[in-house]
Amino acid sequence: MPTYRVYGTAKASPADTDWELLVETPDPVKATELVHESEGTFWRRLTEDGHVVLDRV
């Protein structure tokens, strides 16, 4: 079962170390919904089992 992680950053041009883990879930629908929210972040990123699925949403 894949693990989805949503990361966020407040930086406009983030480096790989600037991303903070916001949510970890096995639910792809929940992860996709959360990655499209922008509260408190400039960018969000979604990964599936460590691979970037959506970058800079």
Side-chain angles (χ1 to χ4, degrees):
M1 178 176 230
T3 299
Y4 299 91
R5 292 183 179 100
V6 177
Y7 295 88
T9 182
K11 298 196 177 197
S13 298
D16 284 339
T17 57
D18 294 328
W19 295 93
E20 295 180 32
L21 180 62
L22 302 175
V23 175
E24 183 174 319
T25 181
D27 184 353
V29 175
K30 180 179 179 180
T32 303
E33 288 173 352
L34 292 171
V35 81
H36 285 92
E37 293 179 6
S38 61
E39 184 176 332
T41 60
F42 191 88
W43 292 111
R44 290 209 176 179
R45 170 183 281 176
L46 174 63
T47 65
E48 178 183 352
D49 290 336
H51 301 283
V52 175
V53 177
L54 295 173
D55 192 21
R56 295 189 183 190
V57 176

